[in-house]
Amino acid sequence: MNDDRVVSGGMRILLVGAGGVGDAIAKIAARRSFYELIVVSDFDESRAERTIAAIAARHGEESAQRFRAEQIDASDPYAVESLVREHRISHVMNAVEPKFVPTIFAGALAAGANYLDMAMSLSEPHPTDPHRQTGVKLGDDQFAQAPDWQKLGQLALVGMGVEPGLSDVFARYASDHLFSEIDELGTRDGANLVVRDDEGNEMFAPSFSIWTTIEECLNPPVIWQKDEGWFTTPPFSEPEVFVFPEGIGPVECVNVEHEEVLLMPRWLDAKRVTFKYGLGAEFIGVLKTLHLLGLDSTLPLRVRGADAAGVAGPVEVAPRDVVAAALPDPASIGPRMSGKTCAGVWVTGTGLDGEPREVYLYHVSDNEWTMREYDAQCVVWQTAMNPVIALELLATGVWKGSGVLGPEAFDAAPFLELMARPLDEGGYDQPWGLDERTPTRAG
């Protein structure tokens, strides 16, 4: 790769979280030269150290010298603020569960740093009518603080993963370059991934954080319609079979709560915005059972146990944390996984020629390739690539802004160009697809 084509700058990044996505962010960034320092931090500092050791083993000690490991308590805004000040951080990259968004967000603002995340502040269902009306929506708490960020000239770029993130970039591109009028922006996510145990049998092992997956899938999904605004439906509503490209094929997708629906209408003109995820019957069944048993709850329960010294007695534990601890770490299942995952946006409406148009803009990530090139399974790698591209565009001044902004607020063309450009020309060598489809509805 020709690093000379990437502008070297003084960006100093605090990466909060060295789990699957955080680890992949660091590994992708190790091949780039747009930053001066990345502080990899985690509650378990050994995980941060392991990430840096992997970078040193693959790229050499000189590359690893741009990384530093630190311990952090992401639930403490003062801990975030302290590390930002200590290391003169310019950008905080949040790569932990969305329950930590408020504290990391606050710590970055207080310390004068810019901020990026891949999942926004959590929602709260409507207290009396959760399957028709919204309560507190995803990101509401962050957008409420937008004047503070704007006043200080700091940027909070929210929802900058793959979904949300790349999907929002695709939506902006479609709005700018492909359509004169948009009927629906429909994020559609599907895969043909299989995880097998040592005997070769398929096993239940979510490819992304089960904590986040439960939050997304069991909350009432949100839909946007121009004449109604935001409203909700029951979980797993409106199933449809969507045909995904590059050999994945037809997958049944259902409505799921997701940030795109809360982000896209703020910047893009569309009659309808939806998000549907290909979960599969088995996964939906597991999620319904967890909910039936109360194992999706985040409220701590007192259970029999022992403290750190081994003294018997009641301890408090959240059921959802127990579920997360019982399942394989998504970062560890790559060697057992095969197949591809696809993220994209299905857009219907009127093309620039005035005729009905239907397209699917997408990116496919192959697990065999991501494991070989980055030692990261494809779902976390695909998520991690996008904030690194965004950070590079911010470092080089191609993207600029202040306040609380989603990916739709920025020009999509430079992002997609950099993403698709070959490695030896300073890009990320990740082509994206545009699948023209026969319009199924007009206007």
Side-chain angles (χ1 to χ4, degrees):
M1 171 184 156
N2 184 359
D3 281 334
D4 292 337
R5 291 178 178 264
V6 180
V7 177
S8 180
M11 181 177 279
R12 299 172 67 88
I13 302 164
L14 172 61
L15 175 60
V16 183
V21 177
D23 176 73
I25 286 174
K27 290 174 178 176
I28 294 168
R31 297 187 176 189
R32 316 303 296 181
S33 63
F34 63 85
Y35 58 90
E36 180 181 330
L37 174 72
I38 296 181
V39 176
V40 184
S41 65
D42 198 279
F43 189 77
D44 179 356
E45 190 176 347
S46 68
R47 296 210 303 177
E49 292 170 342
R50 187 163 58 245
T51 292
I52 297 173
I55 290 170
R58 191 174 187 97
H59 300 288
E61 290 294 338
E62 186 175 349
S63 292
Q65 287 176 4
R66 294 189 297 158
F67 294 81
R68 186 171 302 173
E70 289 280 6
Q71 196 277 338
I72 194 172
D73 180 357
S75 68
D76 181 359
Y78 300 105
V80 176
E81 180 182 357
S82 177
L83 274 184
V84 169
R85 295 189 185 281
E86 178 184 349
H87 294 286
R88 296 180 288 111
I89 296 297
S90 62
H91 292 73
V92 174
M93 180 68 242
N94 179 355
V96 291
E97 293 162 355
K99 65 181 178 181
F100 297 111
V101 163
T103 49
I104 301 172
F105 197 68
L109 179 65
N114 300 295
Y115 168 92
L116 294 86
D117 64 30
M118 296 166 283
M120 298 174 67
S121 59
L122 295 174
S123 63
E124 295 177 16
H126 191 279
T128 60
D129 194 12
H131 293 158
R132 288 192 296 181
Q133 300 184 58
T134 61
V136 176
K137 302 186 298 300
L138 291 169
D140 275 359
D141 291 346
Q142 289 172 285
F143 282 116
Q145 299 176 60
D148 298 330
W149 289 80
Q150 183 74 46
K151 180 180 178 181
L152 294 171
Q154 293 169 234
L155 170 65
L157 174 49
V158 296
M160 193 59 251
V162 61
E163 291 173 341
L166 180 58
S167 51
D168 305 73
V169 171
F170 283 144
R172 171 66 187 263
Y173 184 85
S175 179
D176 286 352
H177 299 283
L178 303 179
F179 288 81
S180 61
E181 185 177 33
I182 293 175
D183 293 336
E184 181 168 351
L185 293 168
T187 304
R188 298 293 185 267
D189 180 301
N192 60 2
L193 298 171
V194 175
V195 181
R196 300 187 184 278
D197 61 20
D198 291 338
E199 284 71 47
N201 302 311
E202 288 190 30
M203 57 185 287
F204 182 79
S207 57
F208 205 72
S209 163
I210 189 63
W211 201 103
T212 303
T213 302
I214 289 172
E215 184 72 23
E216 292 174 349
C217 295
L218 293 180
N219 277 348
V222 181
I223 294 172
W224 160 269
Q225 293 208 156
K226 196 169 186 178
D227 55 352
E228 296 182 50
W230 286 292
F231 62 93
T232 58
T233 70
F236 316 119
S237 60
E238 300 180 0
E240 68 176 47
V241 175
F242 190 84
V243 180
F244 289 90
E246 299 195 22
I248 295 175
V251 177
E252 184 176 81
C253 299
V254 295
N255 281 323
V256 170
E257 181 192 48
H258 230 252
E259 286 90 343
E260 287 94 329
V261 181
L262 288 312
L263 286 169
M264 291 178 185
R266 296 176 188 270
W267 287 277
L268 305 178
D269 186 13
K271 296 177 183 176
R272 180 176 169 90
V273 182
T274 59
F275 178 96
K276 291 189 179 183
Y277 192 14
L279 293 170
E282 179 190 24
F283 204 164
I284 290 174
V286 169
L287 292 170
K288 287 181 175 179
T289 300
L290 292 175
H291 180 63
L292 182 66
L293 297 176
L295 294 175
D296 59 325
S297 175
T298 60
L299 299 176
L301 298 175
R302 291 178 66 83
V303 298
R304 287 178 295 177
D307 62 18
V311 178
V315 296
E316 289 195 347
V317 59
R320 192 184 301 184
D321 290 337
V322 174
V323 173
L327 289 170
D329 181 349
S332 71
I333 63 174
R336 300 176 178 272
M337 182 188 289
S338 62
K340 300 176 181 179
T341 185
C342 180
V345 174
W346 170 65
V347 190
T348 64
T350 304
L352 300 179
D353 60 359
E355 295 296 319
R357 191 176 192 184
E358 178 175 329
V359 303
Y360 182 58
L361 298 94
Y362 67 91
H363 175 259
V364 169
S365 181
D366 185 294
N367 192 70
E368 180 182 356
W369 183 88
T370 62
M371 287 298 299
R372 182 177 68 247
E373 293 294 319
Y374 290 90
D375 192 27
Q377 55 102 326
C378 62
V379 176
V380 299
W381 186 90
Q382 188 185 45
T383 303
M385 170 187 67
N386 303 286
V388 179
I389 296 174
L391 283 164
E392 183 159 336
L393 292 174
L394 292 169
T396 56
V398 175
W399 278 9
K400 299 176 182 178
S402 62
V404 179
L405 303 177
E408 302 87 348
F410 300 89
D411 186 0
F415 186 104
L416 296 175
E417 190 279 327
L418 180 60
M419 172 179 157
R421 193 191 307 161
L423 278 172
D424 61 4
E425 297 177 15
Y428 286 74
D429 202 21
Q430 290 297 302
W432 52 279
L434 196 163
D435 185 5
E436 291 278 0
R437 303 190 174 194
T438 303
T440 55
R441 63 173 75 122

